[in-house]
Amino acid sequence: MHMARTKPWMTTVLAGALVAGLLSGCGNGDAGGNGGQAAAGNDGQAGASGDPVQLRLYTYGTEEAYNWQKTLAAYTEKKPGVSIELVQLSEKGDTQEAFKKLDLAAASDEQIDVLMFSDPAGYAQRVALGMAAPLDDFIAKEGIKLEEEYKVDTRLNGKVYALPGKFNPWYVLLNKDHLAEAGLDVPTEWTWDEFADYAKALTKGDGPSKRYGAYFHGPQNGGWMEFLKIAMENQPEGADFLKEDGTSNLDSPNFRKSLELRVRMEKEDQSTVPYADMISQKLAYRNQFFNQTASMIPIGSWMNTEIGGTDKVPLTFNVAVAPFPKTNAADENGLTPVTTDYVAVYGKSKHQQEAYEFVRWYTTEGQVVQGKNIPAWNGVKTEDVSATIDTILSGTKNPELVDKESLVTVMLESKASQIIAPATYQSEVYKALNEEYEKLILGSQDIDKTIEASKKRVDEIIAANKN
């Protein structure tokens, strides 16, 4: 069925052979029809009938953010026997809206060949519904190793259902002027203990005008939970509150270390903006950093598009980037929380080989062609990353104030720890842990009691949700 063509909420963009139709304003067509479904060979070339194989790509990505016309046209040039019809699920790139419409399209049995998920929870949930085909056989046939090809391990329960597109690791934004004033270098490798030492050295003054060494934007209201597991999430395994088998991971010494670090920095060193202030004043992390209230903030590299300053939040000082800190000095450098696009082959696609070939191209060379994000592909060249960073920074007000070399280095050296498929009751776990942390940081219970209460509540949530 091709119901998407009649629905006004789906913007259809045709690439390659269909670009001419787009440019002339005719995009109704039946150009895809069912043509090629019985025709194409494994190389994606047109079959004996001469009809192209048409793949339909469902995405939340906007033209502005993903450069689709240029990207898909490049693929059609490479594979003349394949055309891509783009179905944009949200004009504003709203992932929640897009998920709803994707689910509706799947329920309506529309032709879907390639689809994208924006987060691990959405990915895991739809894999469980059979919406994504396992790719292990395609990967084995191609003779590649996932861990050598990509910086993000997308396996769920030991199988691969998607390949990673863009790569947004977490890092630490630094006020380079404050570092110079304190005689500190921009770190290229450091631990959380060293981060705390830096924060203490960077803290200055008292009262309302006090400058803090660091700002943590969470946890709050069961969200921004990255800030409650800072010493866990830079580990290759065991990086989350729950283990892969669904049991609690709160016995991890790194959970305790995370709590100890937060307490030390706020209560003993007084080098971080107080949690009570963050909550009561509804502080914004951009303002804390760009107004120079705090010298360092751990945050995601979605900030690349703002790091050089914007109209709303101008940059008036030199800024640099450091990698996400390690827990132990001997740990591997660069492991960090990462957000990515999960690009999958639809479970019911009749063109799975061609769809896989497109997914492989899009998540490798296609990311470079797209030129909008740093790829999760390990094969990307340093000069390509540098060029993409140049393009991103050129959209900011003062790119000359950004230490570009530090940014490029961190983006190249970052890699994701293991993805744990989120539990269906994850939000309950987050809420409980957030509440126990608040008791700790606001002074009503110590670390031992916080860990004990957290474990008890999380175990109860797990037990209540067992089938």
Side-chain angles (χ1 to χ4, degrees), residues 169-395:
W170 279 54
Y171 51 30
V172 180
L173 288 182
L174 307 165
N175 186 314
K176 200 175 177 183
D177 294 353
H178 290 177
L179 261 64
E181 175 192 300
L184 298 171
D185 294 327
V186 175
T188 55
E189 186 169 348
W190 56 344
T191 63
W192 278 114
D193 289 330
E194 289 167 328
F195 175 89
D197 292 341
Y198 263 58
K200 191 174 180 180
L202 290 164
T203 300
K204 192 175 179 181
D206 280 302
S209 62
K210 179 174 180 177
R211 187 185 86 196
Y212 290 91
Y215 173 72
F216 292 113
H217 192 58
Q220 50 177 300
N221 304 315
W224 293 100
M225 298 300 285
E226 293 88 353
F227 293 101
L228 187 50
K229 51 181 175 177
I230 49 179
M232 301 173 75
E233 57 204 345
N234 52 23
Q235 301 296 301
E237 295 179 351
D240 217 326
F241 300 121
L242 300 179
K243 296 177 184 173
E244 197 168 15
D245 63 5
T247 59
S248 163
N249 192 29
L250 301 181
D251 282 325
S252 166
N254 293 329
F255 178 57
R256 175 180 288 273
K257 168 89 174 175
S258 300
L259 299 177
E260 289 172 346
L261 190 80
R262 293 296 304 269
V263 169
R264 170 198 158 182
M265 293 183 71
E266 178 168 333
K267 305 298 185 185
E268 296 171 27
D269 299 347
Q270 298 181 8
S271 62
T272 56
V273 178
Y275 184 84
D277 290 358
M278 185 264 286
I279 295 296
S280 63
Q281 298 173 32
K282 297 181 178 175
L283 298 178
Y285 63 84
R286 289 173 176 84
N287 294 344
Q288 291 297 297
F289 184 69
F290 287 103
N291 292 350
Q292 304 195 67
T293 306
S295 303
M296 305 189 296
I297 60 165
I299 203 68
S301 58
W302 59 78
M303 286 299 293
N304 286 352
T305 57
E306 303 175 45
I307 195 174
T310 62
D311 286 330
K312 285 185 179 177
V313 190
L315 176 64
T316 57
F317 55 90
N318 289 286
V319 63
V321 178
F324 199 74
K326 305 187 294 184
T327 300
N328 309 295
D331 290 346
E332 184 180 1
N333 193 36
L335 281 166
T336 180
V338 166
T339 56
T340 188
D341 291 321
Y342 300 87
V343 191
V345 173
Y346 188 51
K348 293 182 181 177
S349 170
K350 292 183 171 68
H351 303 294
Q352 291 198 2
Q353 178 67 39
E354 291 83 5
Y356 170 75
E357 288 173 5
F358 170 74
V359 169
R360 272 287 286 152
W361 176 87
Y362 174 72
T363 58
T364 54
E365 298 166 44
Q367 291 293 292
V368 178
V369 171
Q370 201 167 53
K372 287 287 188 179
N373 294 285
I374 305 305
W377 179 39
N378 278 324
V380 67
K381 297 183 178 70
T382 301
E383 56 265 32
D384 290 329
V385 172
S386 185
T388 301
I389 292 289
D390 279 339
T391 301
I392 292 169
L393 292 179
S394 69

